[in-house]
Amino acid sequence: MTFDRLAARARVLPPIVADLLVVTVVGVLTTADAAVNEPGYRQADALTWVLLVVSLAALVCRRRWPVPVVCVTGAACAGWALHGHIGELLNLPVIVALYTVAVLGDRRRTLWTGVIAATVSGAVALKVGRDVVNPQGLPVLELVWPLVPLLLGEVVRTRRELLTEYAARAARAEEDREREAARRVRQELARVAREIHDILAHTVSAMTVQAGVALDALDAAPEVSRQAMTQVRASGKEAVRELRATLSVLRATESTAPAPRLGQLDELVAGVEAGGVRVSLRRETGGAGLPAVVEATAYRIVQEALTNVVKHSAARHAAVSVTRDATRVTVEVVDDGPPAPPPAVPPADRGFGLIGMRERAVAVGGDVTYGPVPGGGFRVRAELPTEGAAP
């Protein structure tokens, strides 16, 4: 079993249980060393056992008061040495205390503790060396040994801090991934909502106008009524086809329906004209093909603008212009509606179309401006860049 697994199991224990286990192990080893001293030196007496009991009792509180525990165990260790009791494991309590100071503290406290502990240990070694014929250990070694548990504790604490930081970074990265996934879901839902709005708003508006024409001409001009109803049926089928292609995204399936292209503007204009609004179309995009996303965006903007003409403008004529230069495609739709604003529309029907047009344009790096035309009418103008868009 590795040290990391042992440490992990030890951390599962309650702190008081772990401290008592540490005290028990240290007590067994230190007691065995204190019971038998080297020949020629003072053997264990009452002072030896008092210092041992005080050291072990102090270790129980090492987590709560690490620095005072170092002072107590260090004083006991120095007392043994000055009393003439020499042993290999008598400094084990202060070693554990020094380790605790480093592992539960910070680098500055560890540094100051190391300086003081090394100084005291060296002074005790010099004092013992003058009082005995055969001094135990060199002063240099006595200066160094207190630094070993401090260094070990510093390494363990630094490693724990790094693991904590790595865990925090991983948690932040996971939160960022979740936020990004949620943002993409919202973005996709907004895109689907725009698609559904464009399809339904345009088609239903055109079908409503065409149904009105059919109803008005039902008795006086049956042929006109029949043509209008035929157009209503064709518009309904087209709307169903586009809705199925759009809703397939929500079913997590890949749509096989092609995105609308500028070549379909003739059909779009024909549907609007069937509702009684004359539309002039000017399309100058050159011979080279445009990126699919730009064509789809331009088509949807024209579609929504013409839908607004049919629903809100009371106009009889609209002009659609789609032109291209070296870096962008310009889409403009102007109607000849009256200068006075039309009657207010319900809140549910107002605003989403213009917002959707702007969102579509911004998604491809472009922009949309719109507003009334002096003297009457309304203009929608979009500029869509052709560079950097996916073909």
Side-chain angles (χ1 to χ4, degrees):
M1 183 177 294
T2 63
F3 175 78
D4 289 340
R5 291 183 180 178
L6 288 173
R9 290 191 176 184
R11 285 194 292 270
V12 175
L13 297 174
I16 185 62
V17 176
D19 289 341
L20 290 176
L21 287 176
V22 170
V23 171
T24 301
V25 174
V26 172
V28 170
L29 297 176
T30 308
T31 300
D33 195 9
V36 180
N37 202 358
E38 296 183 13
Y41 292 91
R42 186 187 298 272
Q43 298 301 308
D45 53 15
L47 179 60
T48 301
W49 300 120
V50 169
L51 293 177
L52 177 61
V53 171
V54 170
S55 295
L56 297 179
L59 283 181
V60 178
C61 306
R62 65 189 180 91
R63 295 178 188 268
R64 188 171 183 180
W65 299 299
V67 174
V69 170
V70 166
C71 295
V72 171
T73 55
C77 185
W80 279 318
L82 296 174
H83 189 57
H85 199 96
I86 305 300
E88 298 296 333
L89 298 177
L90 293 181
N91 59 355
L92 189 57
V94 72
I95 287 176
V96 174
L98 288 170
Y99 170 82
T100 304
V101 166
V103 83
L104 298 182
D106 52 48
R107 189 160 299 170
R108 182 176 181 180
R109 190 172 77 174
T110 300
L111 178 62
W112 280 109
T113 302
V115 171
I116 296 173
T119 302
V120 172
S121 178
V124 170
L126 290 175
K127 174 64 176 174
V128 172
R130 294 192 188 100
D131 294 342
V132 298
V133 178
N134 296 317
Q136 296 294 316
L138 296 174
V140 175
L141 295 179
E142 298 299 324
L143 286 170
V144 170
W145 74 260
L147 305 180
V148 175
L150 289 171
L151 180 60
L152 178 60
E154 188 71 18
V155 170
V156 172
R157 179 178 57 79
T158 302
R159 182 173 181 271
R160 289 178 182 176
E161 291 175 352
L162 287 175
L163 291 177
T164 301
E165 177 63 21
Y166 292 155
R169 289 182 182 179
R172 289 194 297 269
E174 182 64 23
E175 292 176 359
D176 292 342
R177 285 193 294 269
E178 291 179 357
R179 282 196 296 267
E180 178 63 17
R183 185 192 67 80
R184 291 185 178 183
V185 169
R186 291 194 301 268
Q187 189 178 43
E188 184 63 18
L189 289 177
R191 187 191 70 80
V192 173
R194 288 195 302 267
E195 291 286 341
I196 294 175
H197 173 271
D198 291 347
I199 294 169
L200 291 181
H202 171 75
T203 306
V204 173
S205 297
M207 291 173 66
T208 301
V209 174
Q210 292 157 3
V213 172
L215 183 61
D216 293 340
L218 182 61
D219 295 326
E223 184 62 29
V224 174
S225 178
R226 184 179 296 106
Q227 291 177 355
M229 292 306 298
T230 301
Q231 185 63 40
V232 168
R233 182 175 64 180
S235 298
K237 289 182 177 180
E238 178 65 17
V240 169
R241 184 189 67 80
E242 292 196 34
L243 279 175
R244 285 176 178 173
T246 301
L247 294 177
S248 65
V249 176
L250 298 180
R251 299 190 184 99
T253 59
E254 184 177 356
S255 173
T256 57
R261 309 296 289 237
L262 293 178
Q264 299 172 252
L265 287 179
D266 295 318
E267 300 175 10
L268 180 64
V269 167
V272 174
E273 288 185 330
V277 179
R278 292 186 298 108
V279 180
S280 59
L281 175 61
R282 175 188 171 212
R283 183 172 46 203
E284 298 178 359
T285 58
L290 291 171
V293 65
V294 174
E295 287 206 44
T297 301
Y299 178 91
R300 291 303 188 193
I301 291 175
V302 172
Q303 183 185 52
E304 179 58 33
L306 291 178
T307 299
N308 290 339
V309 171
V310 173
K311 290 176 62 177
H312 307 307
S313 71
R316 304 304 300 169
H317 180 264
V320 177
S321 172
V322 181
T323 59
R324 175 185 181 179
D325 59 21
T327 60
R328 67 176 181 263
V329 172
T330 302
V331 178
E332 188 173 82
V333 180
V334 184
D335 65 66
D336 62 353
V345 296
D349 297 335
R350 184 171 61 241
F352 294 109
L354 295 176
I355 293 174
M357 283 191 286
R358 184 178 297 279
E359 289 177 345
R360 287 183 180 279
V362 170
V364 297
D367 194 15
V368 170
T369 57
Y370 46 78
V373 178
F378 196 86
R379 174 187 288 110
V380 174
R381 180 183 176 88
E383 294 187 355
L384 311 175
T386 58
E387 296 180 355

